[in-house]
Amino acid sequence: MPERPGSVRTLTINRAPVLTLWAAVVAERLGYDRDEAATLGRAVAGMNAASKARTLGLTRPTEKGAAERKPKPAPAGKLVPVELCGRIVPAVHTAAGVRAVKDGKPEDPASAHRYLESKFGDALEAVREAMTTLAKSLPKQELAERAFSLYESFRPGIPSGVTGWGAKGVLDLDVVRSLATKGRASR
């Protein structure tokens, strides 16, 4: 039985799904529909993970690797850059809406939704509700500018460096909710 949204206070989870959901919630607040937002959120988290892996030295570009990473041909449709949570996400217009692009193909929103469901389980709606309240507590322009720093304010704490890679920490929804109260108070 799913948790009632107000009954979840904390959740032990790693950062990637938290950023995925937060970026998706932000994208929805900025006008994208839920499927569009899910692909954009997944792309933001993937870009962050790749950047962090390079920073930690877990991956590094090599001459051979750089040649293999040549941009894949763009899918049919008009490519659009989407700015979200401090990242520029490559996206494309499809018949079903905007989709983030990965490996030259539009992302599948069903896959992004399944990912979130598998990571958050019964707590998904409670976390989404808390994040949505936070996103709605700010004017859209301010949210767009502060989205990543807000995430840094509530993301699960993990050890620094390589030991924190993939580690789980506590996501405290009371912190997310308190940021929403502060957002409303600052207006």
Side-chain angles (χ1 to χ4, degrees):
M1 174 181 220
E3 300 267 356
R4 286 187 11 261
S7 68
V8 176
R9 296 188 66 181
T10 62
L11 179 68
T12 301
I13 190 167
N14 72 29
R15 288 181 173 177
V18 174
L19 180 55
T20 300
L21 182 58
W22 172 242
V25 165
V26 170
E28 280 188 69
R29 173 77 170 113
L30 298 178
Y32 294 92
D33 71 29
R34 186 152 294 182
D35 284 347
E36 293 170 331
T39 70
L40 295 170
R42 187 100 187 253
V44 165
M47 294 167 84
N48 254 42
S51 176
K52 184 72 172 180
R54 284 190 300 276
T55 299
L56 293 174
L58 299 173
T59 62
R60 60 179 171 212
T62 63
E63 290 304 314
K64 181 180 176 187
E68 291 171 355
R69 282 192 305 276
K70 287 182 183 174
K72 307 248 191 246
K78 182 175 166 94
L79 278 173
V80 292
V82 175
E83 188 173 346
L84 184 60
C85 293
R87 297 284 182 184
I88 303 296
V89 178
V92 66
H93 285 282
T94 71
V98 172
R99 299 291 185 261
V101 173
K102 182 178 178 184
D103 296 328
K105 297 177 187 167
E107 286 273 5
D108 176 20
S111 173
H113 293 304
R114 282 190 305 274
Y115 169 75
L116 291 172
E117 290 164 4
S118 74
K119 297 301 180 184
F120 286 96
D122 289 342
L124 179 58
E125 286 314 308
V127 178
R128 183 187 301 278
E129 181 180 283
M131 289 180 177
T132 299
T133 300
L134 174 54
K136 288 181 176 179
S137 74
L138 298 167
K140 289 179 182 181
Q141 184 61 38
E142 186 177 350
L143 175 63
E145 292 168 4
R146 294 183 52 204
F148 194 78
S149 66
L150 286 167
Y151 162 73
E152 291 176 317
S153 299
F154 66 76
R155 69 186 178 189
I158 59 168
S160 61
V162 175
T163 58
W165 182 256
K168 292 182 177 183
V170 175
L171 173 63
D172 187 336
L173 295 187
D174 287 341
V175 172
V176 177
R177 293 177 184 116
S178 74
L179 289 168
T181 303
K182 289 176 188 173
R184 283 195 283 294
S186 71
R187 286 197 253 162

